[in-house]
Amino acid sequence: MCAHVIVAEDDEKQAELVRRYLEHEGHTVGVVGDGLAALAEVRHREPDLLVLDVMMPRADGLDVVRVLRAEHREVPVLMLTARSTEDDLLLGLDLGADDYMTKPYSPRELMARVRTLLRRSRRGPAGAAGPVADRVLRVGTLAVDPDRHEVSVGDMAVECTPGEFRILAAMAAEPDRVFTRQRLLEELHGFDRYVSFRTVDVHIMNLRKKLEPAPRRPVRLLTVFGVGYKLTDPARKAPRASS
């Protein structure tokens, strides 16, 4: 699986190490040393993957992700950072990063993460086996289009981060099924000891803000206490009129 990967890292030794490992696996690699250069390279090259350091000059990695997602660029992003708090991790994911590794990291594990992201991006959202021809997943007025990466509720388009979209597409494919947090984590990142169940909770909370008329009283994206979450059609929950 050869790909074009951009490495945005201002530490020259780290950048060279990552470049050598990526090229050893058969990928072509471009290296940049600051956030603005990373944005320019993604816009020009349209890479298969961006390996992005958080702490960089001119624009940090979080700003780079924020701009790319605002431009609706779906390049997978693997963030690298010396920050190790869960809040930092969740902020990166919330902005639209696909995965997150803290320094120091094992280069072999980094390559495993790269392979996972490339496989996922090429097979499509929610584990689809290939391109989906005009298949739209519908749960009541909610529509999820895996091929076009579009979400709408009625006539209103809904912008989702890649992580939010993967969760929503998986749940829309099986409405009313209860998904455990572990199952949703697998949709997001595979088996990853660095990512907690709180990551899923943050994505669900953000999806409720976008999909629910009253996010604190959800009717579509429901919690099944002690188990996980499920996506349902709120119209089916309406009580029958009394005779």
Side-chain angles (χ1 to χ4, degrees):
M1 184 186 297
C2 296
H4 180 60
V5 182
I6 293 173
V7 176
E9 168 65 78
D10 63 327
D11 184 319
E12 293 182 4
K13 291 183 179 179
Q14 287 286 327
E16 178 62 17
L17 177 67
V18 175
R19 183 190 65 78
R20 287 207 313 266
Y21 271 87
L22 286 167
E23 289 181 346
H24 181 73
E25 296 214 349
H27 306 305
T28 60
V29 183
V31 177
V32 296
D34 65 74
L36 294 184
L39 286 171
E41 194 74 0
V42 170
R43 290 164 177 159
H44 179 61
R45 300 290 183 183
E46 297 186 353
D48 300 294
L49 176 67
L50 172 62
V51 179
L52 178 66
D53 186 35
V54 171
M55 301 298 293
M56 286 191 301
R58 302 182 73 198
D60 69 22
L62 296 176
D63 287 334
V64 171
V65 174
R66 187 182 289 111
V67 171
L68 291 176
R69 297 318 185 209
E71 294 178 351
H72 309 292
R73 297 181 188 276
E74 300 301 330
V75 55
V77 177
L78 171 58
M79 300 196 80
L80 307 176
T81 181
R83 299 173 178 174
S84 58
T85 69
E86 190 177 54
D87 286 343
D88 290 327
L89 181 153
L90 294 174
L91 176 58
L93 297 176
D94 189 35
L95 290 174
D98 295 87
D99 205 351
Y100 203 108
M101 290 191 70
T102 55
K103 299 177 180 180
Y105 52 81
S106 159
R108 291 180 63 185
E109 182 174 359
L110 176 63
M111 293 305 104
R113 303 282 191 97
V114 166
R115 288 191 292 270
T116 297
L117 284 174
L118 289 174
R119 283 197 301 268
R120 184 185 297 127
S121 65
R122 292 183 178 189
R123 73 173 182 238
V132 181
D134 254 355
R135 183 174 69 115
V136 179
L137 307 171
R138 299 185 186 276
V139 184
T141 59
L142 171 68
V144 181
D145 188 331
D147 202 32
R148 295 179 175 85
H149 206 280
E150 294 175 349
V151 176
S152 61
V153 177
D155 295 328
M156 182 180 68
V158 178
E159 295 292 335
C160 293
T161 68
E164 292 165 2
F165 187 87
R166 280 196 292 274
I167 285 180
L168 194 59
M171 299 180 80
E174 299 182 75
D176 295 314
R177 171 185 169 180
V178 180
F179 285 77
T180 65
R181 287 178 175 85
Q182 180 62 53
R183 179 69 183 87
L184 293 174
L185 271 180
E186 293 170 24
E187 289 294 330
L188 285 169
H189 300 287
F191 295 98
D192 187 348
R193 66 181 182 273
Y194 293 103
V195 180
S196 73
F197 288 159
R198 189 181 166 200
T199 305
V200 171
D201 296 337
V202 169
H203 284 311
I204 294 292
M205 178 182 68
N206 289 334
L207 282 168
R208 283 173 172 163
K209 291 177 182 177
K210 298 175 180 182
L211 302 177
E212 300 281 3
R216 293 178 180 272
R217 297 188 296 278
V219 295
R220 176 176 281 114
L221 195 49
L222 305 179
T223 299
V224 179
F225 291 100
V227 184
Y229 300 101
K230 69 176 179 179
L231 182 67
T232 191
D233 177 2
R236 294 174 52 194
K237 301 296 180 180
R240 296 178 181 177
S242 57
S243 56

